Amino acid sequence: MPQRNFVTGVTGFVGSHLAYRLLEDGHPVVALARGGKNASARDRVIEVLGEVAGSEDRLRPHLDRLEVLEGDISKPFLGLDENSYRRAASMTDEVWHCAASLSFTDEERDKIFEAAKALGAAGFSSSTVISEARRLVPFVERHKMFVAMHNHNNLVDPDQFATPASFETALAMSPLFFVTLDIGHFTAGNNDAVAYLREHHDRITHIHVKDRKRNKGPNVEWGTGDTPIKECLTMIRDNKWPIYAFIEREFMGTRGPVEETRRDLDYMKQALNV
C-alpha cells in the first residue's frame, strides 16, 4: 500500500536517491527544499531528481506523486506557515530526514584542512559551490593544500560548478584551486570534455569517468553515450599528464555492482590498449 513520505535533503545525494526510489515504487513524496537564487524549490528538486532518474523524461511519469514545499529545516515550522506545517504533518505516514547543515564556521573549515594534513593528504576534491570556494581561499593559502572543484550539470543555479566559465571563476581565485573534471556530467551539460582537458590539463588533478547522453541525458552503459571516454583517457596517456581517472558508477545496470564495475574497468583497459 502506498505511503505518503515527507523527505528532507532531497537536493542532496542520499535524499535525492531515496526520494526517487520512493517515487519509482509508487509512493507519494512531499519534499522540503529551499529555493535558489534563480530557481524555485520545485525547479531545484526536479533538476536533481532528473539527474538521479537519468533524464527529466524518465522522471516525468512520477511527478504527479511529487509535492515540493519551499522551506528550511533550521526555521520554526520548517520555514512553512503554521497551516502548511500542520497539513503536511497530518498527511504524512513516514518522515525521512536526510538534510544536513553544510554551513561551516571558519574554525570548522580550519579543522578540515588540519585533519586532511594529518592524514598526509596534499589536498582534496570537493563537490562544493562557487560561494564556498571564495571562503576557502585563505585556508588553502595558509595550509598550502589544493582543493579540486568537482562539477555536476546543474545549469540552473549560477553558484554551481557546471560550465567552463564556473571553473574559470574558481581557478582565478587561487593557484591552489584545481579541477576534478567529471566528464560525464560535463558532457550532459553540453560541454566539450576533450577541449577542456586539452586546454586546462595543468589545473586538473583527476577525472571522474561515466557515460552520459548530451542535453542532460541519462547515465548509460559505457560506450553507448556521448561522453568521450576513450578520447580523454588516451589523451592523458599520450601526453603523460599526471591526471588520475576514477570510475564513478552512476549507471546501475542489471548485472550487479561488482560485475558492472568490472565491465567499466575492462572498457578503460581496452581503450588504453588501442
Side-chain angles (χ1 to χ4, degrees), residues 187-208:
T187 299
N190 293 331
N191 301 295
D192 188 338
V194 172
Y196 193 84
L197 185 61
R198 181 185 298 114
E199 295 168 16
H200 302 281
H201 59 87
D202 58 329
R203 299 295 295 275
I204 298 173
T205 57
H206 54 291
I207 63 173
H208 285 184

Side-chain angles (χ1 to χ4, degrees), residues 80-219:
L80 307 172
D81 64 75
E82 186 172 352
N83 287 335
S84 296
Y85 175 83
R86 295 191 183 284
R87 172 182 169 275
S90 66
M91 298 177 65
T92 296
D93 297 310
E94 293 186 355
V95 175
W96 298 85
H97 182 33
C98 304
S101 173
L102 297 179
S103 297
F104 299 104
T105 65
D106 283 351
E107 182 180 3
E108 289 169 333
R109 291 184 180 94
D110 207 46
K111 291 296 184 183
I112 291 171
F113 280 88
E114 288 180 2
K117 187 180 292 184
L119 291 170
F124 43 86
S125 175
S126 177
S127 289
T128 187
V129 291
I130 295 173
S131 56
E132 178 62 20
R134 290 192 180 95
R135 300 185 186 100
L136 291 178
V137 172
F139 297 94
V140 296
E141 301 292 346
R142 182 185 312 130
H143 291 280
K144 305 301 178 188
M145 299 180 72
F146 74 82
V147 175
M149 312 299 173
H150 177 278
N151 64 292
H152 293 89
N153 69 296
N154 183 345
L155 303 176
V156 176
D157 186 349
D159 202 28
Q160 296 289 326
F161 288 104
T163 63
S166 59
F167 278 140
E168 288 306 306
T169 298
L171 295 180
M173 295 178 192
S174 171
L176 289 170
F177 280 165
F178 289 82
V179 171
T180 297
L181 185 64
D182 188 310
I183 61 175
H185 290 324
F186 208 62
T187 299
N190 293 331
N191 301 295
D192 188 338
V194 172
Y196 193 84
L197 185 61
R198 181 185 298 114
E199 295 168 16
H200 302 281
H201 59 87
D202 58 329
R203 299 295 295 275
I204 298 173
T205 57
H206 54 291
I207 63 173
H208 285 184
V209 184
K210 63 169 69 73
D211 204 354
R212 288 191 64 178
K213 295 283 190 177
R214 296 179 67 81
N215 300 313
K216 296 168 61 175
N219 291 287

Side-chain angles (χ1 to χ4, degrees), residues 207-265:
I207 63 173
H208 285 184
V209 184
K210 63 169 69 73
D211 204 354
R212 288 191 64 178
K213 295 283 190 177
R214 296 179 67 81
N215 300 313
K216 296 168 61 175
N219 291 287
V220 295
E221 186 166 356
W222 288 24
T224 66
D226 297 320
T227 306
I229 297 174
K230 292 181 179 180
E231 293 87 342
C232 289
L233 292 176
T234 54
M235 185 185 300
I236 292 170
R237 179 200 62 193
D238 294 346
N239 288 280
K240 297 182 171 59
W241 292 329
I243 297 174
Y244 294 94
F246 287 84
I247 295 172
E248 187 169 272
R249 279 203 58 251
E250 292 195 31
F251 171 68
M252 294 297 102
T254 59
R255 304 174 183 87
V258 174
E259 181 57 28
E260 290 290 347
T261 302
R262 183 179 291 115
R263 288 173 64 88
D264 293 344
L265 184 59

Side-chain angles (χ1 to χ4, degrees), residues 11-138:
T11 57
F13 181 81
V14 175
S16 61
H17 283 75
L18 170 64
Y20 182 66
R21 179 60 183 269
L22 290 169
L23 291 169
E24 268 197 317
D25 289 347
H27 300 291
V29 170
V30 178
L32 183 76
R34 291 178 296 186
K37 294 178 181 178
N38 297 301
S40 68
R42 185 172 180 83
D43 286 343
R44 292 185 66 223
V45 170
I46 289 176
E47 172 88 15
V48 174
L49 292 184
E51 289 189 22
V52 175
S55 71
E56 289 187 14
D57 286 341
R58 294 178 64 181
L59 173 65
R60 194 166 291 115
H62 307 301
L63 290 181
D64 61 336
R65 293 191 300 281
L66 174 68
E67 179 181 355
V68 179
L69 300 178
E70 185 161 340
D72 188 330
I73 62 168
S74 67
K75 295 180 178 178
F77 296 111
L78 302 177
L80 307 172
D81 64 75
E82 186 172 352
N83 287 335
S84 296
Y85 175 83
R86 295 191 183 284
R87 172 182 169 275
S90 66
M91 298 177 65
T92 296
D93 297 310
E94 293 186 355
V95 175
W96 298 85
H97 182 33
C98 304
S101 173
L102 297 179
S103 297
F104 299 104
T105 65
D106 283 351
E107 182 180 3
E108 289 169 333
R109 291 184 180 94
D110 207 46
K111 291 296 184 183
I112 291 171
F113 280 88
E114 288 180 2
K117 187 180 292 184
L119 291 170
F124 43 86
S125 175
S126 177
S127 289
T128 187
V129 291
I130 295 173
S131 56
E132 178 62 20
R134 290 192 180 95
R135 300 185 186 100
L136 291 178
V137 172

